[in-house]
Amino acid sequence: DAMVIQNPRYQVTQFGKPVTLSCSQTLNHNVMYWYQQKSSQAPKLLFHYYDKDFNNEADTPDNFQSRRPNTSFCFLDIRSPGLGDAAMYLCATSRVLNTEAFFGQGTRLTVV
Amino acid sequence: AQSVAQPEDQVNVAEGNPLTVKCTYSVSGNPYLFWYVQYPNRGLQFLLKYITGDNLVKGSYGFEAEFNKSQTSFHLKKPSALVSDSALYFCAVRDTNTGNQFYFGTGTSLTVIP
């Protein structure tokens, strides 16, 4: 019954070692989002895809990249994780405009 | 630019009492407004939304919210709070002028005291 699935739930990576977080959806939604959320703060939008069109937020660091090989999957790549990148990463999907977003359970990233 | 403000970091309410969690917004176009709830180490769960029509919208778990255009507010309410309502609540806005992005407020931690 799960609709937006994030793997893994918990990820530990070494400082500077590339890491990939994954998200899949069974909703066939056009839009997929990646948010970063630090300790009970507001989720911060990193980027989103509308179908294959990639939309980067102006203040998203270059260290963060994303891939969407097909409608169902979206990946977040952190090329060189720093200690400040430790956070919960949330994936979400939606249809356009007047519909709500559906969130996955999140991946908690720890950088050691 | 679009923004959402939640003026209260923390709201405490006694079980059985009505609760209100405040949200104000600023957008250039027409707002689509949403409320989400988050439990510890979990993703966000959708509660309700305002798109158009009746200013009072009803959502999940007995929550409702009132859209007030003149005050640019969208406060979340519940007539009788439960201990299980204790969680982090986020207001979010989508601006019809800027497309698909959801922007979130800073969140309000609700504690319902038994």
Short mmCIF file of all heavy atoms in Angstrom, two decimals, chain A residues 9 33 35 37 40-43 45 48 50 57 88 90 94-101 103-105 108, chain B residues 32 34 36 38 41-46 49 51 88 90 94-96 99-107:
data_model
loop_
_atom_site.label_atom_id
_atom_site.label_comp_id
_atom_site.label_asym_id
_atom_site.label_seq_id
_atom_site.Cartn_x
_atom_site.Cartn_y
_atom_site.Cartn_z
N ARG A 9 16.13 3.82 5.21
CA ARG A 9 15.57 4.73 6.22
C ARG A 9 16.68 5.46 6.97
O ARG A 9 16.52 6.62 7.35
CB ARG A 9 14.71 3.97 7.22
CG ARG A 9 13.40 3.44 6.68
CD ARG A 9 12.40 4.57 6.37
NE ARG A 9 12.26 5.54 7.45
CZ ARG A 9 11.50 5.37 8.52
NH1 ARG A 9 10.82 4.26 8.69
NH2 ARG A 9 11.43 6.32 9.44
N TYR A 33 9.92 15.66 -5.63
CA TYR A 33 10.67 16.67 -4.90
C TYR A 33 11.69 16.01 -3.96
O TYR A 33 11.45 14.93 -3.44
CB TYR A 33 9.74 17.49 -3.99
CG TYR A 33 8.53 18.09 -4.64
CD1 TYR A 33 7.36 17.35 -4.81
CD2 TYR A 33 8.52 19.43 -5.02
CE1 TYR A 33 6.23 17.91 -5.38
CE2 TYR A 33 7.39 20.00 -5.58
CZ TYR A 33 6.25 19.24 -5.75
OH TYR A 33 5.12 19.81 -6.31
N TYR A 35 13.54 17.27 -0.38
CA TYR A 35 13.64 18.27 0.68
C TYR A 35 14.72 17.83 1.67
O TYR A 35 14.90 16.65 1.92
CB TYR A 35 12.33 18.40 1.45
CG TYR A 35 11.23 19.13 0.72
CD1 TYR A 35 10.37 18.45 -0.15
CD2 TYR A 35 11.02 20.49 0.93
CE1 TYR A 35 9.35 19.12 -0.79
CE2 TYR A 35 10.00 21.16 0.28
CZ TYR A 35 9.17 20.48 -0.58
OH TYR A 35 8.16 21.14 -1.22
N GLN A 37 15.66 18.36 5.69
CA GLN A 37 15.08 18.84 6.94
C GLN A 37 16.06 18.59 8.08
O GLN A 37 16.44 17.45 8.34
CB GLN A 37 13.75 18.15 7.24
CG GLN A 37 13.04 18.73 8.45
CD GLN A 37 11.75 18.02 8.79
OE1 GLN A 37 11.57 16.85 8.47
NE2 GLN A 37 10.84 18.72 9.43
N SER A 40 13.92 19.25 13.35
CA SER A 40 12.63 19.91 13.61
C SER A 40 12.51 21.28 12.97
O SER A 40 11.68 22.09 13.37
CB SER A 40 12.38 20.02 15.12
OG SER A 40 12.31 18.75 15.69
N GLN A 41 13.31 21.55 11.97
CA GLN A 41 13.15 22.78 11.19
C GLN A 41 12.20 22.52 10.02
O GLN A 41 11.78 21.38 9.79
CB GLN A 41 14.50 23.26 10.66
CG GLN A 41 15.48 23.66 11.73
CD GLN A 41 16.80 24.11 11.14
OE1 GLN A 41 16.90 24.41 9.95
NE2 GLN A 41 17.83 24.15 11.96
N ALA A 42 11.88 23.57 9.29
CA ALA A 42 11.04 23.41 8.12
C ALA A 42 11.78 22.62 7.05
O ALA A 42 12.99 22.79 6.87
CB ALA A 42 10.66 24.77 7.56
N PRO A 43 11.09 21.75 6.33
CA PRO A 43 11.71 21.13 5.16
C PRO A 43 12.13 22.20 4.16
O PRO A 43 11.36 23.11 3.86
CB PRO A 43 10.59 20.26 4.60
CG PRO A 43 9.65 20.03 5.73
CD PRO A 43 9.71 21.27 6.55
N LEU A 45 13.29 22.96 0.36
CA LEU A 45 13.27 22.38 -0.98
C LEU A 45 14.64 22.50 -1.62
O LEU A 45 15.23 23.59 -1.68
CB LEU A 45 12.22 23.10 -1.83
CG LEU A 45 12.05 22.59 -3.25
CD1 LEU A 45 11.56 21.14 -3.27
CD2 LEU A 45 11.07 23.48 -4.02
N HIS A 48 13.27 19.93 -7.72
CA HIS A 48 12.16 19.06 -8.08
C HIS A 48 12.21 18.79 -9.58
O HIS A 48 12.84 19.53 -10.36
CB HIS A 48 10.82 19.67 -7.67
CG HIS A 48 10.33 20.81 -8.54
ND1 HIS A 48 10.79 22.09 -8.40
CD2 HIS A 48 9.42 20.83 -9.54
CE1 HIS A 48 10.17 22.87 -9.27
NE2 HIS A 48 9.34 22.13 -9.98
N TYR A 50 9.66 18.08 -12.83
CA TYR A 50 8.34 17.99 -13.44
C TYR A 50 8.53 17.13 -14.68
O TYR A 50 9.09 17.59 -15.68
CB TYR A 50 7.78 19.36 -13.77
CG TYR A 50 6.47 19.32 -14.51
CD1 TYR A 50 5.48 18.42 -14.15
CD2 TYR A 50 6.23 20.17 -15.59
CE1 TYR A 50 4.29 18.37 -14.83
CE2 TYR A 50 5.03 20.13 -16.27
CZ TYR A 50 4.06 19.22 -15.89
OH TYR A 50 2.87 19.17 -16.56
N GLU A 57 16.61 24.71 -6.93
CA GLU A 57 16.44 25.93 -6.15
C GLU A 57 17.75 26.73 -6.19
O GLU A 57 18.84 26.16 -6.23
CB GLU A 57 16.07 25.62 -4.71
CG GLU A 57 14.69 25.01 -4.57
CD GLU A 57 13.58 25.94 -5.00
OE1 GLU A 57 13.41 27.00 -4.36
OE2 GLU A 57 12.88 25.60 -5.97
N MET A 88 17.58 14.89 7.78
CA MET A 88 16.57 14.01 7.21
C MET A 88 16.31 14.48 5.79
O MET A 88 16.13 15.69 5.56
CB MET A 88 15.28 14.09 8.03
CG MET A 88 14.11 13.30 7.44
SD MET A 88 14.24 11.55 7.75
CE MET A 88 13.41 11.47 9.34
N LEU A 90 13.79 14.16 2.65
CA LEU A 90 12.42 13.77 2.36
C LEU A 90 12.15 13.84 0.86
O LEU A 90 12.46 14.84 0.22
CB LEU A 90 11.43 14.70 3.07
CG LEU A 90 11.50 14.70 4.59
CD1 LEU A 90 10.69 15.86 5.16
CD2 LEU A 90 10.98 13.40 5.16
N SER A 94 3.77 14.81 -6.35
CA SER A 94 2.45 15.41 -6.50
C SER A 94 2.09 15.47 -7.98
O SER A 94 2.96 15.38 -8.84
CB SER A 94 2.38 16.81 -5.88
OG SER A 94 2.97 17.76 -6.74
N ARG A 95 0.81 15.62 -8.22
CA ARG A 95 0.40 16.07 -9.54
C ARG A 95 0.58 17.57 -9.54
O ARG A 95 1.02 18.16 -8.56
CB ARG A 95 -1.04 15.65 -9.81
CG ARG A 95 -1.23 14.16 -9.87
CD ARG A 95 -2.55 13.80 -10.55
NE ARG A 95 -3.68 14.49 -9.97
CZ ARG A 95 -4.47 13.99 -9.02
NH1 ARG A 95 -4.22 12.81 -8.52
NH2 ARG A 95 -5.48 14.69 -8.56
N VAL A 96 0.23 18.22 -10.59
CA VAL A 96 0.53 19.65 -10.66
C VAL A 96 -0.45 20.46 -9.83
O VAL A 96 -1.56 20.07 -9.57
CB VAL A 96 0.51 20.14 -12.12
CG1 VAL A 96 1.65 19.47 -12.90
CG2 VAL A 96 -0.82 19.85 -12.78
N LEU A 97 0.03 21.56 -9.41
CA LEU A 97 -0.64 22.70 -8.82
C LEU A 97 -1.62 22.43 -7.69
O LEU A 97 -1.28 22.58 -6.54
CB LEU A 97 -1.28 23.54 -9.92
CG LEU A 97 -0.29 24.35 -10.75
CD1 LEU A 97 -0.96 25.16 -11.80
CD2 LEU A 97 0.56 25.23 -9.86
N ASN A 98 -2.85 22.05 -7.98
CA ASN A 98 -3.85 22.15 -6.92
C ASN A 98 -4.01 20.87 -6.12
O ASN A 98 -5.07 20.63 -5.54
CB ASN A 98 -5.19 22.59 -7.50
CG ASN A 98 -5.76 21.55 -8.45
OD1 ASN A 98 -5.05 20.63 -8.86
ND2 ASN A 98 -7.03 21.68 -8.79
N THR A 99 -2.97 20.07 -6.06
CA THR A 99 -3.04 18.84 -5.29
C THR A 99 -1.94 18.79 -4.25
O THR A 99 -0.91 19.45 -4.39
CB THR A 99 -2.92 17.61 -6.20
OG1 THR A 99 -1.65 17.67 -6.88
CG2 THR A 99 -4.03 17.58 -7.22
N GLU A 100 -2.18 18.00 -3.24
CA GLU A 100 -1.22 17.91 -2.16
C GLU A 100 -0.03 17.05 -2.57
O GLU A 100 -0.08 16.30 -3.52
CB GLU A 100 -1.88 17.31 -0.91
CG GLU A 100 -2.40 15.90 -1.08
CD GLU A 100 -3.83 15.87 -1.59
OE1 GLU A 100 -4.27 16.82 -2.27
OE2 GLU A 100 -4.51 14.86 -1.33
N ALA A 101 1.03 17.18 -1.80
CA ALA A 101 2.21 16.34 -1.97
C ALA A 101 2.13 15.15 -1.02
O ALA A 101 1.62 15.27 0.10
CB ALA A 101 3.48 17.14 -1.68
N PHE A 103 4.43 12.37 0.92
CA PHE A 103 5.81 12.25 1.36
C PHE A 103 6.17 10.80 1.69
O PHE A 103 5.34 10.03 2.17
CB PHE A 103 6.04 13.10 2.62
CG PHE A 103 6.21 14.55 2.33
CD1 PHE A 103 5.11 15.36 2.10
CD2 PHE A 103 7.47 15.11 2.27
CE1 PHE A 103 5.26 16.71 1.82
CE2 PHE A 103 7.64 16.46 1.99
CZ PHE A 103 6.53 17.26 1.76
N GLY A 104 7.43 10.48 1.44
CA GLY A 104 7.98 9.24 1.95
C GLY A 104 8.33 9.39 3.41
O GLY A 104 8.17 10.45 4.01
N GLN A 105 8.81 8.30 3.99
CA GLN A 105 9.15 8.29 5.41
C GLN A 105 10.46 8.99 5.72
O GLN A 105 10.77 9.25 6.87
CB GLN A 105 9.21 6.85 5.92
CG GLN A 105 7.89 6.11 5.83
CD GLN A 105 6.92 6.51 6.92
OE1 GLN A 105 6.72 7.69 7.21
NE2 GLN A 105 6.32 5.54 7.56
N ARG A 108 17.27 9.30 7.08
CA ARG A 108 18.10 10.09 8.00
C ARG A 108 19.56 9.81 7.68
O ARG A 108 20.03 8.69 7.79
CB ARG A 108 17.80 9.75 9.45
CG ARG A 108 18.64 10.59 10.41
CD ARG A 108 18.11 10.60 11.82
NE ARG A 108 16.81 11.24 11.94
CZ ARG A 108 16.60 12.55 11.94
NH1 ARG A 108 17.62 13.38 11.80
NH2 ARG A 108 15.39 13.03 12.08
N TYR B 32 -2.46 28.20 -2.90
CA TYR B 32 -2.97 26.90 -2.52
C TYR B 32 -2.32 26.60 -1.17
O TYR B 32 -1.09 26.65 -1.06
CB TYR B 32 -2.61 25.84 -3.54
CG TYR B 32 -3.26 26.01 -4.89
CD1 TYR B 32 -2.64 25.54 -6.04
CD2 TYR B 32 -4.51 26.61 -5.02
CE1 TYR B 32 -3.24 25.67 -7.28
CE2 TYR B 32 -5.11 26.75 -6.26
CZ TYR B 32 -4.47 26.29 -7.40
OH TYR B 32 -5.05 26.43 -8.63
N PHE B 34 -1.88 24.32 2.55
CA PHE B 34 -1.88 22.94 3.03
C PHE B 34 -1.43 22.91 4.48
O PHE B 34 -0.64 23.75 4.92
CB PHE B 34 -0.92 22.08 2.20
CG PHE B 34 -1.16 22.12 0.72
CD1 PHE B 34 -0.65 23.16 -0.05
CD2 PHE B 34 -1.90 21.13 0.09
CE1 PHE B 34 -0.87 23.21 -1.42
CE2 PHE B 34 -2.13 21.18 -1.27
CZ PHE B 34 -1.61 22.22 -2.03
N TYR B 36 0.28 19.97 7.14
CA TYR B 36 0.86 18.64 7.30
C TYR B 36 1.21 18.44 8.78
O TYR B 36 1.50 19.39 9.50
CB TYR B 36 2.14 18.52 6.48
CG TYR B 36 1.91 18.37 5.00
CD1 TYR B 36 1.74 19.49 4.19
CD2 TYR B 36 1.88 17.12 4.40
CE1 TYR B 36 1.52 19.37 2.83
CE2 TYR B 36 1.67 16.98 3.04
CZ TYR B 36 1.49 18.10 2.27
OH TYR B 36 1.29 17.97 0.91
N GLN B 38 3.79 16.00 11.35
CA GLN B 38 4.98 15.13 11.34
C GLN B 38 5.21 14.57 12.74
O GLN B 38 5.34 15.32 13.70
CB GLN B 38 6.21 15.89 10.87
CG GLN B 38 7.43 15.01 10.69
CD GLN B 38 8.63 15.77 10.17
OE1 GLN B 38 8.82 16.94 10.48
NE2 GLN B 38 9.45 15.12 9.36
N ASN B 41 10.80 11.29 13.54
CA ASN B 41 11.50 10.42 12.58
C ASN B 41 10.57 9.85 11.50
O ASN B 41 10.79 8.73 11.03
CB ASN B 41 12.20 9.27 13.31
CG ASN B 41 13.42 9.75 14.07
OD1 ASN B 41 14.23 10.50 13.54
ND2 ASN B 41 13.51 9.37 15.32
N ARG B 42 9.58 10.60 11.14
CA ARG B 42 8.67 10.17 10.09
C ARG B 42 8.55 11.26 9.03
O ARG B 42 8.94 12.42 9.23
CB ARG B 42 7.27 9.88 10.67
CG ARG B 42 7.25 8.89 11.79
CD ARG B 42 7.71 7.50 11.34
NE ARG B 42 6.76 6.89 10.45
CZ ARG B 42 5.73 6.14 10.86
NH1 ARG B 42 5.51 5.97 12.14
NH2 ARG B 42 4.92 5.60 9.97
N GLY B 43 8.00 10.89 7.89
CA GLY B 43 7.71 11.87 6.86
C GLY B 43 6.50 12.71 7.25
O GLY B 43 5.91 12.55 8.31
N LEU B 44 6.13 13.61 6.35
CA LEU B 44 5.00 14.49 6.60
C LEU B 44 3.71 13.83 6.12
O LEU B 44 3.67 13.26 5.03
CB LEU B 44 5.19 15.82 5.87
CG LEU B 44 6.05 16.88 6.58
CD1 LEU B 44 7.49 16.46 6.65
CD2 LEU B 44 5.93 18.21 5.86
N GLN B 45 2.67 13.96 6.92
CA GLN B 45 1.36 13.42 6.54
C GLN B 45 0.42 14.57 6.24
O GLN B 45 0.30 15.51 7.01
CB GLN B 45 0.78 12.59 7.69
CG GLN B 45 1.55 11.36 8.05
CD GLN B 45 0.91 10.63 9.22
OE1 GLN B 45 -0.30 10.65 9.39
NE2 GLN B 45 1.73 9.98 10.02
N PHE B 46 -0.26 14.46 5.13
CA PHE B 46 -1.20 15.48 4.70
C PHE B 46 -2.43 15.48 5.59
O PHE B 46 -2.99 14.43 5.91
CB PHE B 46 -1.59 15.19 3.25
CG PHE B 46 -2.74 15.99 2.74
CD1 PHE B 46 -2.59 17.34 2.45
CD2 PHE B 46 -3.98 15.40 2.54
CE1 PHE B 46 -3.66 18.07 1.96
CE2 PHE B 46 -5.05 16.13 2.06
CZ PHE B 46 -4.89 17.46 1.76
N LYS B 49 -6.32 20.77 2.82
CA LYS B 49 -5.88 21.78 1.87
C LYS B 49 -7.02 22.75 1.56
O LYS B 49 -8.20 22.39 1.65
CB LYS B 49 -5.39 21.13 0.57
CG LYS B 49 -6.50 20.40 -0.19
CD LYS B 49 -5.95 19.73 -1.45
CE LYS B 49 -7.04 18.96 -2.17
NZ LYS B 49 -6.53 18.22 -3.35
N ILE B 51 -8.00 25.03 -1.76
CA ILE B 51 -7.71 25.36 -3.15
C ILE B 51 -8.61 26.51 -3.60
O ILE B 51 -8.16 27.54 -4.08
CB ILE B 51 -7.90 24.14 -4.07
CG1 ILE B 51 -7.01 22.98 -3.58
CG2 ILE B 51 -7.60 24.50 -5.51
CD1 ILE B 51 -5.54 23.29 -3.56
N LEU B 88 4.51 17.73 15.38
CA LEU B 88 4.99 18.95 14.72
C LEU B 88 4.07 19.22 13.53
O LEU B 88 3.81 18.33 12.73
CB LEU B 88 6.43 18.72 14.26
CG LEU B 88 7.28 19.91 13.83
CD1 LEU B 88 7.36 20.96 14.92
CD2 LEU B 88 8.68 19.41 13.48
N PHE B 90 3.12 21.61 10.17
CA PHE B 90 3.66 22.52 9.17
C PHE B 90 2.56 23.02 8.26
O PHE B 90 1.76 22.24 7.75
CB PHE B 90 4.71 21.82 8.31
CG PHE B 90 5.99 21.50 9.01
CD1 PHE B 90 6.23 20.23 9.51
CD2 PHE B 90 6.97 22.47 9.18
CE1 PHE B 90 7.41 19.93 10.16
CE2 PHE B 90 8.16 22.19 9.83
CZ PHE B 90 8.38 20.92 10.32
N ARG B 94 1.52 26.80 -1.97
CA ARG B 94 1.91 26.73 -3.38
C ARG B 94 1.38 28.00 -4.03
O ARG B 94 0.24 28.37 -3.84
CB ARG B 94 1.24 25.51 -4.02
CG ARG B 94 2.18 24.55 -4.68
CD ARG B 94 1.41 23.37 -5.21
NE ARG B 94 2.24 22.47 -5.93
CZ ARG B 94 1.81 21.33 -6.43
NH1 ARG B 94 0.55 20.96 -6.28
NH2 ARG B 94 2.63 20.55 -7.09
N ASP B 95 2.22 28.66 -4.78
CA ASP B 95 1.86 29.91 -5.42
C ASP B 95 1.53 29.63 -6.89
O ASP B 95 2.37 29.10 -7.62
CB ASP B 95 3.05 30.89 -5.31
CG ASP B 95 2.75 32.26 -5.87
OD1 ASP B 95 1.79 32.42 -6.64
OD2 ASP B 95 3.49 33.19 -5.53
N THR B 96 0.35 29.97 -7.31
CA THR B 96 -0.06 29.65 -8.68
C THR B 96 0.79 30.37 -9.72
O THR B 96 0.82 29.98 -10.88
CB THR B 96 -1.54 30.00 -8.92
OG1 THR B 96 -1.75 31.38 -8.61
CG2 THR B 96 -2.44 29.16 -8.03
N GLY B 99 4.47 28.00 -9.85
CA GLY B 99 4.54 26.62 -10.30
C GLY B 99 4.40 25.59 -9.22
O GLY B 99 3.58 25.72 -8.31
N ASN B 100 5.23 24.56 -9.30
CA ASN B 100 4.97 23.33 -8.56
C ASN B 100 5.54 23.28 -7.15
O ASN B 100 5.27 22.35 -6.41
CB ASN B 100 5.52 22.16 -9.35
CG ASN B 100 4.80 21.99 -10.67
OD1 ASN B 100 3.58 21.88 -10.69
ND2 ASN B 100 5.53 21.99 -11.76
N GLN B 101 6.35 24.25 -6.78
CA GLN B 101 7.03 24.12 -5.50
C GLN B 101 6.09 24.29 -4.32
O GLN B 101 5.22 25.13 -4.33
CB GLN B 101 8.14 25.18 -5.39
CG GLN B 101 9.22 25.08 -6.43
CD GLN B 101 8.94 25.97 -7.61
OE1 GLN B 101 7.82 26.00 -8.12
NE2 GLN B 101 9.95 26.70 -8.04
N PHE B 102 6.32 23.48 -3.27
CA PHE B 102 5.69 23.68 -1.97
C PHE B 102 6.71 24.37 -1.07
O PHE B 102 7.85 23.94 -0.98
CB PHE B 102 5.34 22.34 -1.32
CG PHE B 102 4.17 21.65 -1.93
CD1 PHE B 102 4.34 20.83 -3.04
CD2 PHE B 102 2.90 21.79 -1.40
CE1 PHE B 102 3.26 20.17 -3.61
CE2 PHE B 102 1.82 21.13 -1.95
CZ PHE B 102 2.00 20.32 -3.06
N TYR B 103 6.28 25.40 -0.38
CA TYR B 103 7.14 26.06 0.60
C TYR B 103 6.51 25.96 1.97
O TYR B 103 5.32 26.20 2.14
CB TYR B 103 7.38 27.52 0.21
CG TYR B 103 8.20 27.65 -1.05
CD1 TYR B 103 7.58 27.90 -2.27
CD2 TYR B 103 9.58 27.47 -1.02
CE1 TYR B 103 8.33 27.99 -3.43
CE2 TYR B 103 10.33 27.55 -2.19
CZ TYR B 103 9.70 27.81 -3.38
OH TYR B 103 10.44 27.88 -4.54
N PHE B 104 7.33 25.59 2.95
CA PHE B 104 6.84 25.27 4.28
C PHE B 104 7.16 26.36 5.29
O PHE B 104 8.20 27.03 5.19
CB PHE B 104 7.47 23.96 4.76
CG PHE B 104 6.91 22.75 4.08
CD1 PHE B 104 7.41 22.33 2.86
CD2 PHE B 104 5.87 22.04 4.66
CE1 PHE B 104 6.89 21.22 2.22
CE2 PHE B 104 5.34 20.93 4.02
CZ PHE B 104 5.84 20.53 2.80
N GLY B 105 6.28 26.50 6.26
CA GLY B 105 6.57 27.32 7.43
C GLY B 105 7.57 26.63 8.33
O GLY B 105 7.97 25.49 8.08
N THR B 106 7.95 27.31 9.40
CA THR B 106 8.98 26.81 10.30
C THR B 106 8.48 25.75 11.26
O THR B 106 9.28 25.16 11.98
CB THR B 106 9.59 27.97 11.10
OG1 THR B 106 8.52 28.72 11.69
CG2 THR B 106 10.42 28.87 10.21
N GLY B 107 7.19 25.52 11.27
CA GLY B 107 6.63 24.45 12.09
C GLY B 107 6.22 24.92 13.48
O GLY B 107 6.80 25.85 14.04
#
